[in-house]
């Protein structure tokens, strides 16, 4: 498989997203190229995309965005997010990258995801709902070998999930609850506080989402 060590930002966008969404996925072919750029460049590109996604992603379908974003953040696929654990990148830069997820949700998922619950497999959902729902489950935010780095990155991720939980979108709220449910074991106090605040401030939201929130509060999510 050919390695790609550099592309201009616009060409990198096409490398990630400009593929037929009907499948089979392009990245499983034997001769598929793979991204092998320095971690600093990868962090720069990911952060730039997440902070201002609309200009870069205009023209792509929801299905294409779903496949591209899943490739981008999944361990074992694009491997881009390994940059978050690379100590050659300043921790402030990596923290900014994690925080930029909030901008991506606000500018892309909030307006484009449909009001369907993915954990219930509700029919008619936008293809983009899938990666939105799985975001904090599959994106690796380990923090590398330095304890201080881990604390900073984890705090940034929890902060982003808390902000996403307050967005006026069933899909975004469900994504944040899904992530907080998975993070409950390691961060029970923080996740319970955020979920309790959500339940109190959204008494009239869909009963199914409130039930899911109560499950997430004790780490009971799939």
């Amino acid at each position: 498989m050919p390695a790609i060590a550099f592309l201009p930002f616009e060409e990198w966008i096409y490398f990630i997203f400009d593929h037929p969404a009907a499948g089979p996925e392009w990245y499983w072919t034997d001769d598929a190229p793979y991204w092998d750029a320095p971690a600093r460049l990868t962090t720069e590109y990911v952060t730039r995309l997440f902070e201002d996604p609309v200009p870069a992603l205009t023209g792509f379908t929801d299905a294409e965005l779903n496949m591209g974003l899943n490739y981008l953040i999944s361990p074992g696929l694009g491997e881009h997010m390994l940059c978050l654990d690379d100590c050659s990148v300043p921790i402030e830069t990596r923290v900014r990258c994690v925080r930029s997820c909030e901008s991506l949700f606000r500018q892309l998922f909030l307006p484009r995801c449909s009001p369907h619950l993915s954990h219930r497999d509700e029919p008619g959902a936008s293809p983009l709902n899938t990666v939105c729902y799985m975001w904090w489950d599959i994106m690796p935010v380990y923090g590398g070998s330095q304890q201080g780095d881990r604390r900073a990155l984890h705090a940034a991720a929890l902060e982003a999930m808390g902000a996403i939980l307050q967005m006026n979108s069933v899909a975004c709220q469900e994504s944040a609850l899904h992530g907080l449910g998975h993070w409950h074991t390691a961060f029970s106090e923080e996740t319970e506080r955020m979920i309790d605040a959500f339940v109190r401030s959204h008494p009239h939201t869909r009963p199914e989402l409130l039930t899911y929130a109560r499950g997430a509060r004790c780490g009971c999510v799939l």
Side-chain angles (χ1 to χ4, degrees):
M1 296 183 291
I4 300 176
F6 174 78
L7 287 172
F9 177 75
E10 292 77 11
E11 293 183 25
W12 174 77
I13 292 293
Y14 279 94
F15 164 70
I16 299 293
F17 295 100
D18 191 23
H19 305 279
E25 290 84 353
W26 65 273
Y27 42 78
W28 292 127
T29 61
D30 291 338
D31 59 347
Y34 66 95
W35 185 247
D36 193 32
R40 283 175 179 260
L41 181 66
T42 302
T43 312
E44 175 190 338
Y45 279 9
V46 171
T47 304
R48 179 177 171 184
L49 172 62
F50 288 1
E51 288 185 342
D52 193 20
V54 175
L57 300 180
T58 296
F60 294 108
T61 68
D62 287 352
E64 290 168 344
L65 294 178
N66 178 71
M67 184 171 70
L69 288 169
N70 182 66
Y71 169 79
L72 181 64
I73 67 170
S74 294
L77 294 183
E79 301 286 22
H80 284 67
M81 305 315 297
L82 294 179
C83 68
L84 297 177
D85 298 333
D86 195 313
C87 292
S88 70
V89 182
I91 184 58
E92 296 83 4
T93 302
R94 289 180 279 149
V95 165
R96 178 179 172 182
C97 185
V98 173
R99 287 178 176 163
S100 70
C101 292
E102 178 187 344
S103 298
L104 180 73
F105 272 76
R106 191 175 303 280
Q107 297 180 53
L108 185 71
F109 292 141
L110 177 61
R112 293 184 66 157
C113 285
S114 60
H116 296 81
L117 292 174
S118 294
H119 80 276
R120 294 175 59 86
D121 293 322
E122 293 178 343
S126 165
L128 197 55
N129 282 46
T130 302
V131 70
C132 176
Y133 173 62
M134 293 297 294
W135 192 267
W136 298 104
D137 190 353
I138 61 179
M139 190 180 81
V141 188
Y142 307 128
S145 59
Q146 301 299 317
Q147 187 174 16
D149 289 6
R150 289 197 297 271
R151 284 197 297 266
L153 291 167
H154 294 162
L158 288 166
E159 180 182 344
M161 282 185 263
I164 293 164
L165 186 56
Q166 297 302 319
M167 293 180 185
N168 186 25
S169 161
V170 167
C172 292
Q173 292 166 350
E174 182 189 32
S175 173
L177 290 169
H178 187 198
L180 292 171
H182 280 294
W183 283 52
H184 177 268
T185 299
F187 301 97
S188 58
E189 181 178 346
E190 296 92 332
T191 58
E192 289 174 12
R193 173 176 48 79
M194 285 189 278
I195 293 172
D196 287 345
F198 171 77
V199 171
R200 286 195 304 269
S201 61
H202 295 78
H204 304 299
T205 195
R206 290 186 55 180
E208 300 90 343
L209 188 60
L210 289 176
T211 298
Y212 189 71
R214 295 184 182 101
R217 190 186 186 280
C218 61
C220 300
V221 295
L222 299 176

